[in-house]
Amino acid sequence: MNSSSKFYGTKIPVVRMLVVMKNLFTIRAFHKSLISLSSSTRHFCCSSSSSASTFAIKNVTKSNFESALNDLRLYVKDADFVAVDLEMTGVTSAPWRESFELDRFDIQYLKVKDSAEKFAAVQFGVCPFRWEPHRQSFVAHPHNFYIFPRQEIKGDDTSYEFLCQTTSINFLAKYQFDFNLCIREGVSYLSRSQEKEALGRLNARYKDRLLDSSSCWREGVDTKLVRVADILFSERLKNKIAEWHDGLLGDRNGASQTWKTSNDSKQQLKTIFFKMRPALDLTGFTSHQLRLIQLKELKDCLCKEAEMKIKAAIGFRHVIDLLSSEKKLIVGHNSFLDIAHIYRKFIGPLPSTAKECVISIQKFFPYIVDTKVLLNASTVCQKILKKSSTSLSKAFALLCPQIASGVKTSGLADKRLVKVEVQVDNKRSLNWNSGAKHEAGYDAFMTGCVFAQACSHLGVDFTLNPSSVDLSHHEKLQEYINLLYLSWINGDIIDLKTGERKTDSICSKGFKAHHSKILFSNTVLLWGFPAKLKASEIRECFCKVFGSSSITFIYHLDKTAVFIQFSKEELVSDFLVLKETLERSNDPISVLHPLSKVLQGGRTRAASYEVYKQICSSTISKVFFADQAEAVGIEWNAKLSKPVLEVERQVDFEASENQLDTDARNETEIVSGIDPPLYMHSPTDELDSLCPAEAQMSK
């Protein structure tokens, strides 16, 4: 699943789906709209030098989850690293939420956050890799988990809803994703925060029940005093029973033990045997106290039963807890969106800023490697890839030809190729190749193979060590660990240790030379203007007022909004003040003003770049930016202050800065429909033959 390679110029409809398991109509409607297969497993062919073998990848659903989890615990514990991959129901909730060159570092994170919050993860690939010195090869254990959020806790009114992006769903269907299996048999889960909330509600509910029940037996005494007395009695009895239980564990002979209460010497707790098991004989208690004891016993029983149901509902999160507790090196490909989904689905709500987010991520996953960063930053790997695409499938084919082709190679080249055996249950193969791209389990396997081979090219010699190599601290890899692409379009890398944008030379590798600058303090956001206006017409209106060289560029977010960058920062406030003045006036001069064409109808809004951040941070989802802005409801014209954060970032423009022919420049900027200007787009990371959906979803 690609978090950043997007296809521009295509309207991407988004369907909101409310996932409530009680509502069968919703599920049936969703089922009828999807293409599914009847089979829950797919068989892959593997060959060896002597014979060919065929066995399926480890598909995991709720029916075999417990046994698969037990096996996975052993594999992860012994692993040198674990590769992961996710498949999702979508990437962007609206065209204007796609990754743009004009997105500042903090905006990029907000768009990733929005995606992780609104879309579901439906498949999770986990593939532990362990080096076996005696076989001089890695052993991989690919697991393909189907996951689906359900209302597993009885009495919990929480309903799960998520978006489905039609291009993403079509993409999954094209690669035979089994939607029936996912919805019917997918493993459910609770995040850590959801579990904590559920336990909190449980404790509060049973505490209230105890207080309410005790008030029914107040026997003419003041209610508050009875409640306090009942609570103290219950707590003392609870402690005594705990002492009795601990005594039994320490005294296997089962000798009788007697305790006297502080206010009645006739009351006793005596150990007896009931049906060959130790029990307590209660004597000397009042009928009211006995009812309290019965109530407490019932409350504890029901509470433990409810706690067990909550623990059972944790489901797939056990896998995440396993990866976190073992502190293994996690390997992904273009994986910041994957990590954001993992945090949102299995840990808790995503923090509001990128820095807070990565600091929290480091607590659970201290070592992460993004193979896309590694391949782009390593000159050795770039030489092997011949500076071609670093998509997962292409990197796998070029770096791991003997695995990708499924055919054993021979010759001197074999000395630098890392061998990888695949083991599923009791079956193992050295030349295992399914060709099942875009299935999470197989994509995780490809990611791990690419990483292992890249390590070899970087100088990591697995053969020199008799035991496992500590890749998390290997000197050859320290330059690449905990660096992820926050935005592949911009080439911006985030350092998970600091939460800051990486600014050293590693960021510039693998990208074109930049020669134009984005000055966010010089940029105005304009929306709600007449839909018929083109970029060239908007430029003409502004140049008539502020001068022919006043506009650096115009950039479309969608057909309802544009960014306008002025050549001087003061022109931003000049324009906003002039706009407000013209809109207050209703005289012939204002009607004939050059900007009247842009301001026609009085619905045009304008604001500084900081307002764009506020709009992106909103949880509201509207397809068109103008609708989103109005729904958020900020007083736009009042936003005349300078942006809080002024950042300069270089961006590649195909149009030359020295080009003086205005009409020629306009031809470059004119964009119909929702297309952003093509001259500001970085090259996509996919093969030209890919269809739009594939370009968006593929790594």
Side-chain angles (χ1 to χ4, degrees), residues 353-420:
T353 66
K355 186 171 186 176
E356 293 175 304
C357 177
V358 298
I359 290 175
S360 298
I361 288 172
Q362 282 281 279
K363 295 177 182 177
F364 299 96
F365 306 105
Y367 311 107
I368 301 176
V369 165
D370 191 330
T371 51
K372 200 171 187 72
V373 172
L374 191 155
L375 294 178
N376 277 292
S378 168
T379 53
V380 176
C381 292
Q382 278 291 299
K383 184 178 181 180
I384 297 172
L385 294 174
K386 299 178 181 179
K387 298 183 178 180
S388 63
S389 168
T390 53
S391 66
L392 179 58
S393 58
K394 178 162 285 189
F396 181 60
L398 293 176
L399 289 177
C400 313
Q402 81 286 10
I403 305 174
S405 63
V407 178
K408 186 177 181 181
T409 58
S410 60
L412 296 176
D414 283 351
K415 295 181 179 180
R416 301 198 66 180
L417 295 179
V418 177
K419 296 180 181 179
V420 178

Side-chain angles (χ1 to χ4, degrees), residues 251-460:
D251 185 3
R252 295 295 181 179
N253 295 326
S256 297
Q257 301 182 46
T258 302
W259 296 275
K260 293 184 178 181
T261 62
S262 60
N263 59 348
D264 192 341
S265 61
K266 295 181 180 180
Q267 295 182 359
Q268 292 181 327
L269 300 175
K270 187 175 181 180
T271 301
I272 62 173
F273 283 89
F274 179 74
K275 294 183 178 181
M276 303 300 294
R277 299 182 63 183
L280 276 175
D281 181 31
L282 307 179
T283 59
F285 292 98
T286 67
S287 59
H288 177 73
Q289 289 173 329
L290 288 174
R291 285 195 293 271
L292 282 177
I293 294 172
Q294 291 176 337
L295 176 66
K296 177 189 173 298
E297 188 176 359
L298 176 62
K299 179 254 185 184
D300 289 345
C301 181
L302 293 175
C303 190
K304 288 181 180 179
E305 182 180 353
E307 285 182 359
M308 290 178 63
K309 290 182 179 179
I310 293 174
K311 295 296 182 182
I314 289 174
F316 181 76
R317 204 198 80 214
H318 284 299
V319 176
I320 305 303
D321 290 344
L322 170 63
L323 298 178
S324 176
S325 62
E326 292 294 337
K327 306 299 182 186
K328 296 294 182 178
L329 176 64
I330 303 299
V331 180
H333 188 83
N334 204 14
S335 57
F336 189 81
L337 180 58
D338 288 352
I339 298 298
H341 269 281
I342 291 172
Y343 193 98
R344 179 65 182 89
K345 301 314 189 273
F346 309 113
I347 297 176
L350 284 164
S352 58
T353 66
K355 186 171 186 176
E356 293 175 304
C357 177
V358 298
I359 290 175
S360 298
I361 288 172
Q362 282 281 279
K363 295 177 182 177
F364 299 96
F365 306 105
Y367 311 107
I368 301 176
V369 165
D370 191 330
T371 51
K372 200 171 187 72
V373 172
L374 191 155
L375 294 178
N376 277 292
S378 168
T379 53
V380 176
C381 292
Q382 278 291 299
K383 184 178 181 180
I384 297 172
L385 294 174
K386 299 178 181 179
K387 298 183 178 180
S388 63
S389 168
T390 53
S391 66
L392 179 58
S393 58
K394 178 162 285 189
F396 181 60
L398 293 176
L399 289 177
C400 313
Q402 81 286 10
I403 305 174
S405 63
V407 178
K408 186 177 181 181
T409 58
S410 60
L412 296 176
D414 283 351
K415 295 181 179 180
R416 301 198 66 180
L417 295 179
V418 177
K419 296 180 181 179
V420 178
E421 293 186 83
V422 175
Q423 181 174 336
V424 176
D425 296 328
N426 61 343
K427 299 177 181 178
R428 182 182 285 205
S429 174
L430 179 61
N431 296 311
W432 184 77
N433 174 32
S434 74
K437 293 190 299 183
H438 310 301
E439 187 173 60
Y442 188 72
D443 281 3
F445 167 71
M446 288 197 298
T447 300
C449 291
V450 168
F451 174 68
Q453 192 61 60
C455 286
S456 178
H457 290 302
L458 289 172
V460 179

Side-chain angles (χ1 to χ4, degrees), residues 58-94:
K58 185 75 172 183
N59 279 325
V60 184
T61 61
K62 61 182 181 181
S63 61
N64 65 336
F65 175 70
E66 290 299 328
S67 60
L69 178 61
N70 290 333
D71 293 339
L72 190 63
R73 293 186 195 280
L74 299 177
Y75 299 146
V76 171
K77 183 177 181 180
D78 295 336
D80 294 290
F81 65 91
V82 181
V84 299
D85 184 83
L86 276 71
E87 296 295 336
M88 308 119 177
T89 60
V91 178
T92 51
S93 59

Side-chain angles (χ1 to χ4, degrees), residues 115-145:
S115 179
E117 290 173 342
K118 288 186 169 65
F119 294 100
V122 291
Q123 206 175 61
F124 200 113
V126 180
C127 190
F129 282 73
R130 182 185 77 257
W131 176 255
E132 289 193 347
H134 65 285
R135 299 179 69 93
Q136 293 293 286
S137 70
F138 275 102
V139 177
H141 301 273
H143 289 68
N144 195 51
F145 290 87

Side-chain angles (χ1 to χ4, degrees), residues 475-545:
E475 59 179 3
K476 300 289 187 179
L477 298 177
Q478 292 309 298
E479 184 181 359
Y480 313 104
I481 290 179
N482 290 328
L483 298 180
L484 303 181
Y485 279 118
L486 183 57
S487 171
W488 167 245
I489 294 296
N490 297 321
D492 284 342
I493 293 176
I494 187 169
D495 188 337
L496 299 187
K497 295 179 181 178
T498 64
E500 304 294 339
R501 177 172 174 261
K502 194 73 173 175
T503 56
D504 59 23
S505 59
I506 192 174
C507 298
S508 61
K509 296 179 181 179
F511 294 94
K512 286 185 177 182
H514 304 305
H515 58 270
S516 293
K517 294 182 179 180
I518 291 179
L519 303 174
F520 296 106
S521 58
N522 291 23
T523 303
V524 164
L525 178 60
L526 193 72
W527 70 94
F529 48 82
K532 61 182 180 180
L533 283 182
K534 299 179 181 179
S536 58
E537 295 174 301
I538 296 175
R539 170 188 285 276
E540 182 182 5
C541 293
F542 277 85
C543 288
K544 286 181 179 179
V545 178

